[in-house]
Amino acid sequence: MAVQETDWRSYLRVGMIAGLIAVSVSLIGMVETFNGRAIIGEYLSLGNLLLYGAIFGGGFVAARQHKGSTASCLAGGLLLGAISGVMLNLLVLAGTPRVAGGDPFLRQYLLNVNNNLLAILLSGLPQPSGSLALLGISSLMGMLGAAIDRVTPRFRRPLLVSLGVVLLVGLLSEVVILAWGVRGLGLLVRRLLFARKGLSLPGAVVLFLIVFALHLAWTAFSPKLKAWTARAPERRRKQLYRGKAAIGIIFLLFLPFFLRTYLTEVVDNVGLYVLMGLGLNIVVGYAGLLDLGYVAFFAIGAYTMGVLTSQADLGIAQMSFWSALPFSVMAAVLAGIILGVPVLRMRGDYLAIVTLGFGEIIRILVLSDALAPFIGGAQGILKIPKAQIGDFRFVTPESLYYLILIGCLIAVFLTWRLRDSRLGRQWMAMREDEDVAEAMGINLVSTKLLAFGIGAAFSGLSGAIFATKLSSIFPHSFNLLISINVLCLIIVGGMGSIPGVVVGALVLVGLPELLREFAEYRLLMYGALLIVMMIARPEGFWPSAVRRRELRGDEEPIPEPSSAAAGD
Amino acid sequence: MRQRLESISFIDIILWLFRTLIIVAVIWGTVATIFNNPYSAENWIDFLVFGIAQGSLYALIALGYMLVYGILFMINFAHGEFFMSGVFTATVFVADPLNQIGFLNAHPILALIIITLVAMAVSMGIALLTERVAYRPLRRAPRLVPLITAIGASFFWQYFFRGLYGSGVHAFPTVDALKGNLTIAGIEILKTQVVVIVASVLLLIALYIFVMRTKTGKAIRAVAEDKDVAALMGIDVDRTIAITFATGAAMAGAAGILYALLFRQVHFFMGFVPGIKAFTAAVLGGIGSVPGAALGGLFLGVFESVGPSLFLEGLGITASYQLKDVIAFTMLVLVLIFRPQGIIGERLAEEKA
């Protein structure tokens, strides 16, 4: 009986928290802004998803902790949803205008409480039925969330994955249609699956079923495949690995033809961040030096490129992109080492603050009038020429894509080779424990400076390409937020993991570029993401093996070598 | 071994050169400015008083960093946002309405006390929430992890409040009673500056008494000394840490109102730069003591207010006021490099790292 009571209380608590989250996202305007993005025709928008997502997730979480029967679990979910629904209704009540036609009561304090928001909350229905609908949908969502937990595990994963795919496709439907749905086969698929905005309802169902079936088939098939590759001889496995790599490279080479101009532009931006991410990954992920002023090197690379190549008054050498490129990278490396020397003795959080200070100093200096005669101050540097090979100029996003791709591939190759080199192992030893590393004969000075220098080099390269890509640079492009973006993406991807950087950049840079609505709330979501990742999955989505053990070290014992386990 | 010695001395030489360079630049600039003498004595006094007022604000905010760092050895990056959240909310929900109905100017003292209390309460609420959600689950994690959540919390709150109240600059209502100057010992001082300085001093004294003389303060110091032993002595460590956060945030909330009185505007990004500067002040004074934080704040405030005109103009740098923040950040970097123990503090950074 006592257990039962605490269980109800946990549903109550989670319900209140979920309700609070739903009310908060409404108050800060996310629901209204995101409502413009349809996922399934007029039935489901991103705003709805955000509003009810918390309740749905809450139901799932609460049911997870609940050990009782399925019926009581569903009832709990219903209760949880109802509580959230009541809280949302309170918000509706507080936001309803006292005088008909006037502004809502709360409006004078909070910008986002307006008739639009109320209409979304009430599903566009008139008052009494609207409130009931809100309550009903919330309760249903809480119950559905709880129900998901009780689905047999065999089906739960495919269910969630296909739900996720449907939502993602619906979310990106505008982009998908623009890129592929204009003619031929694409147009046919578009007619079948998509409505004017978002997926059509039958389309969503069909897509869901297809993905669900595919996933089931894959779970049935993949163990066999794994067993087969495990049995295959070493030579064959190597061939398989090379084959995969070759397919990957070919895919990357032909990506722009497949993506069309707009998406290629997005991928270009992702690529620049991948470059920076790989650099910061060396500094933070391998060497364990938390650098918050990383944007400084990006700025130095870009400004060196600008000053050396610009055709405007500020340009001093009118060099070509290719001859200026080594100078850009070298300038960044030099800056990395110069800024690295004073902080050699510093650790952890002090290092973070000092590098943050460096980043801000450089930004303010670039912006100031004192240096304006040399680097343009707030007016920036204009007329930076495009890169050129013979007569071919890298102007279109497609051609720039190849430039960035080459940069990224070089960076990936270098990082990958460095990771297992003597230097890479020194970095990791230093990350684990500086004193022990020093006692083992590692020269901390050169190891740290190399980390700063190489990390800065990638960032400088990225900055140089950035400058030629935009043809002009302004101080405002180099603020602290870039450092935070890069830090976020390597944390989300997984510190010290190369594929993690790419995944992180795709999610954190690519997705917001595709969804304009994200712009305003990008940093809010980054902040929340950082907290959630650190608490729930500190090793990132695509972790390196070492990092996972390290960050989970306090919770899980490090797995014993298999021979020891067999000995038990 | 020899090689190691050589490499260390090489770094030492570079650092030493760096230090000399900066000292020479400062002295050069000062001498040049004094020779040219572009400002009158009144100007300098104005700079000084403004610096003291601003510095006492930094001191108030620095206390929060100091208290939390003392207990958790963690830079609470989100502290600037505690500062912002309180004053922003109090401005939107209390100060503006009170101003509209005329209460603010009819009973300025009472109204300001109400506004300050609201700001302190909101700051405390945000701090407690942040501590509970973002920091407490990570008590035993590697040190980098809570720092990263703190950065996340900082950005989260900034953009949360931006979403809530908008991205524009809100004007903090002017209080008629605080308009004009006060003449103290023949020097004309803005009334707001007097209020800011006096209120800060009172709050600092109150906090000092709270930490040194009350039982809760003793618990805070005990937890800062050794969490495990404090727990054995019957101190609820989680609760004490929460109280520490709340205390620091309350100071930040009050500082927020004083900041609004001084600069008459609030916006969602207002916590960031004062936050970092207050951290500088905390380090400058030596993290770990109330008088240290107060001293560090004053020092930084005066330096920043007098510095651009005194050091930089003499060096022939145009528009030196733009470089005000550079002075603060340079000081931060210099202090962390050359004297991480601060002016009067103990050396915490390395032994606890």
Side-chain angles (χ1 to χ4, degrees), chain B residues 21-291:
Chain B
L21 196 75
I22 293 208
I23 291 174
V24 167
V26 164
I27 293 175
W28 184 290
T30 311
V31 171
T33 310
I34 289 173
F35 258 109
N36 289 338
N37 198 17
Y39 298 103
S40 65
E42 277 94 59
N43 286 138
W44 288 116
I45 289 175
D46 281 350
F47 285 146
L48 196 68
V49 173
F50 180 75
I52 292 173
Q54 195 166 311
S56 45
L57 287 182
Y58 291 154
L60 280 182
I61 309 172
L63 288 173
Y65 281 105
M66 183 215 90
L67 287 170
V68 169
Y69 196 90
I71 280 199
L72 294 177
F73 308 113
M74 171 196 125
I75 298 172
N76 178 19
F77 214 84
H79 192 64
E81 271 53 61
F82 302 165
F83 162 82
M84 174 272 296
S85 61
V87 59
F88 209 168
T89 309
T91 307
V92 172
F93 277 102
V94 188
D96 274 347
L98 284 186
N99 188 35
Q100 272 163 25
I101 60 171
F103 186 82
L104 183 63
N105 282 320
H107 307 275
I109 295 177
L110 185 62
L112 280 177
I113 288 177
I114 295 174
I115 294 170
T116 310
L117 288 179
V118 170
M120 288 166 92
V122 173
S123 292
M124 279 163 84
I126 296 289
L128 289 174
L129 193 64
T130 311
E131 194 271 330
R132 181 71 193 80
V133 174
Y135 302 154
R136 194 178 295 180
L138 299 169
R139 231 14 89 70
R140 305 227 167 254
R143 275 184 75 182
L144 225 49
V145 171
L147 181 64
I148 292 170
T149 54
I151 295 170
S154 168
F155 281 94
F156 177 81
W157 287 124
Q158 264 172 34
Y159 285 83
F160 183 86
F161 281 96
R162 181 191 142 146
L164 217 51
Y165 306 131
S167 57
V169 173
H170 286 235
F172 189 81
T174 43
V175 184
D176 289 338
L178 294 179
K179 275 183 188 158
N181 291 328
L182 213 65
T183 314
I184 298 173
I187 304 165
E188 296 233 319
I189 305 177
L190 284 176
K191 275 188 192 164
T192 44
Q193 292 179 350
V194 177
V195 169
V196 167
I197 294 170
V198 170
S200 306
V201 169
L202 289 179
L203 281 167
L204 284 171
I205 292 172
L207 186 89
Y208 186 74
I209 293 172
F210 173 72
V211 173
M212 299 314 263
R213 295 286 155 80
T214 64
K215 210 163 178 183
T216 324
K218 209 178 209 173
I220 291 177
R221 281 181 293 139
V223 173
E225 200 69 37
D226 191 324
K227 281 196 252 324
D228 297 329
V229 176
L232 289 178
M233 298 297 129
I235 294 171
D236 185 342
V237 173
D238 276 341
R239 222 191 86 160
T240 310
I241 291 177
I243 289 174
T244 312
F245 268 90
T247 314
M251 289 292 141
I257 296 298
L258 298 177
Y259 181 94
L261 282 177
L262 206 57
F263 295 99
R264 278 192 240 114
Q265 58 181 30
V266 289
H267 51 102
F268 77 98
F269 205 64
M270 68 187 279
F272 183 73
V273 172
I276 293 186
K277 287 186 184 164
F279 174 74
T280 311
V283 177
L284 198 59
I287 226 157
S289 74
V290 176

Side-chain angles (χ1 to χ4, degrees), chain A residues 62-371:
Chain A
R64 267 229 142 142
Q65 297 161 349
H66 182 87
K67 298 281 182 294
S69 69
T70 307
S72 74
C73 164
L74 288 183
L78 198 70
L79 173 75
L80 176 149
I83 291 166
S84 309
V86 168
M87 288 174 73
L88 282 171
N89 267 317
L90 284 178
L91 170 67
V92 170
L93 204 65
T96 306
R98 295 283 165 84
V99 199
D103 264 345
F105 161 65
L106 265 182
R107 165 86 193 197
Q108 62 194 62
Y109 302 123
L110 301 172
L111 312 171
N112 294 304
V113 182
N114 52 27
N115 293 329
N116 253 343
L117 176 71
L118 294 188
I120 297 164
L121 287 176
L122 300 174
S123 323
L125 297 170
Q127 200 16 274
S129 46
S131 273
L132 281 178
L134 178 60
L135 193 63
I137 296 174
S138 304
S139 313
L140 195 68
M141 280 297 154
M143 198 168 82
L144 277 179
I148 286 277
D149 182 61
R150 293 303 150 114
V151 177
T152 43
R154 202 174 140 240
F155 288 113
R156 194 193 308 148
R157 212 180 144 76
L159 201 68
L160 288 175
V161 167
S162 31
L163 207 62
V165 169
V166 169
L167 293 179
L168 196 67
V169 172
L171 204 60
L172 299 177
S173 55
E174 194 182 292
V175 180
V176 173
I177 289 171
L178 267 178
W180 298 293
V182 189
R183 54 178 184 270
L185 191 65
L187 191 63
L188 191 72
V189 174
R190 171 185 167 186
R191 292 254 164 82
L192 282 176
L193 289 184
F194 292 97
R196 204 171 56 77
K197 276 176 105 185
L199 286 163
S200 67
L201 195 54
V205 173
V206 169
L207 190 64
F208 180 83
L209 289 177
I210 291 175
V211 178
F212 191 72
L214 279 180
H215 195 287
L216 273 187
W218 173 249
T219 38
F221 178 65
S222 71
K224 279 182 205 155
L225 194 72
K226 266 197 188 132
W228 182 76
T229 43
R231 264 188 283 112
E234 181 71 13
R235 202 168 54 85
R236 174 56 69 70
R237 252 188 287 170
K238 251 191 184 149
Q239 279 173 354
L240 208 68
Y241 181 73
R242 279 188 199 141
K244 271 194 216 161
I247 291 174
I249 300 258
I250 290 170
F251 173 73
L252 284 177
L253 280 180
F254 287 97
L255 200 61
F257 299 99
F258 181 62
L259 285 180
R260 313 285 157 87
T261 306
Y262 170 56
L263 282 178
T264 309
E265 173 94 48
V266 172
V267 173
D268 286 356
N269 286 336
V270 171
L272 288 178
Y273 271 97
V274 168
L275 257 180
M276 277 196 274
L278 286 169
L280 191 63
N281 186 39
I282 288 181
V283 183
V284 180
Y286 292 165
L289 308 160
L290 185 57
D291 186 346
L292 292 182
Y294 193 61
V295 66
F297 310 124
F298 184 63
I300 286 167
Y303 266 93
T304 311
M305 176 57 78
V307 169
L308 288 182
T309 65
S310 172
Q311 307 289 328
D313 298 340
L314 288 170
I316 53 166
Q318 276 91 26
M319 286 167 140
S320 75
F321 172 80
W322 299 106
S323 45
L325 190 62
F327 290 103
S328 282
V329 175
M330 282 319 294
V333 171
L334 215 62
I337 292 174
I338 290 173
L339 297 190
V341 169
V343 298
L344 280 172
R345 307 271 168 75
M346 247 169 249
R347 297 176 184 191
D349 34 17
Y350 272 28
L351 177 74
I353 293 285
V354 169
T355 49
L356 177 86
F358 278 146
E360 284 294 287
I361 289 174
I362 291 207
R363 185 184 65 83
I364 299 169
L365 283 181
V366 165
L367 194 60
S368 72
D369 288 345
L371 289 179

Side-chain angles (χ1 to χ4, degrees), chain A residues 545-560:
Chain A
V546 181
R547 198 79 195 178
R548 180 196 310 234
R549 282 206 298 273
E550 180 195 337
L551 281 166
R552 288 269 161 142
D554 291 346
E555 296 154 36
E556 299 167 5
I558 296 169
E560 297 283 314

Side-chain angles (χ1 to χ4, degrees), chain A residues 503-538:
Chain A
V503 171
L506 277 175
V507 174
L508 289 190
V509 182
L511 215 55
E513 298 247 350
L514 293 181
L515 302 169
R516 290 180 306 278
E517 293 86 352
F518 276 32
E520 209 174 320
Y521 298 100
R522 191 168 170 166
L523 282 154
L524 180 103
M525 289 187 287
Y526 280 9
L529 198 62
L530 277 186
I531 298 175
V532 170
M533 287 298 290
M534 279 298 122
I535 291 172
R537 214 181 147 81

